[in-house]
Amino acid sequence: MTKPDMMHNKSILRVVSKLLIPPIMLFALYVQFHGDYGPGGGFQAGVILASGFILYGIIFGVDTARKVLPAWATRTMLAVGLMIYGSTGLATLIMGGNYLDYTVLTGNVKTGQELGIFLVEFGVGTTVTAAMTTIFFTFAGQREDDEGTENPTQ
């Protein structure tokens, strides 16, 4: 019996994880959207959100977790997050400011800063979530075949 199969048969772990994963993801959204007013931000929110997917993958298996968050979704999230971050910086350059000079985004210093920080933090959070889950799924999805050599799966 492999390790994922051992976790898959533990009913207490399955029930507790089903109770914990929604608050973990909700807390990640809180950290994401309140990061500019308190502790937190895109990186922390991305790691917390990814931990929900990773916990699901540990308990229910990587193949089941890949059905919830398929590879094409994580790849898209990686690209979209980077594009949001880069586009915010390019927009500030096109509008006559320095790279990531948020004040030119709206013409008002306060609202420009808020919008710029929100966009950059959202891009970072999206990218970090996708990167963390991709790393976990890649390494956890590798299996040893009968001869003892690793056989990567998707």
Side-chain angles (χ1 to χ4, degrees), residues 103-118:
T103 56
V104 296
L105 287 175
T106 62
N108 182 323
V109 174
K110 184 179 178 191
T111 56
Q113 290 285 329
E114 289 175 352
L115 177 64
I117 290 172
F118 174 79

Side-chain angles (χ1 to χ4, degrees), residues 40-58:
F43 185 85
Q44 294 86 348
V47 170
I48 293 169
L49 189 60
S51 71
F53 290 111
I54 291 170
L55 176 63
Y56 190 83
I58 289 171

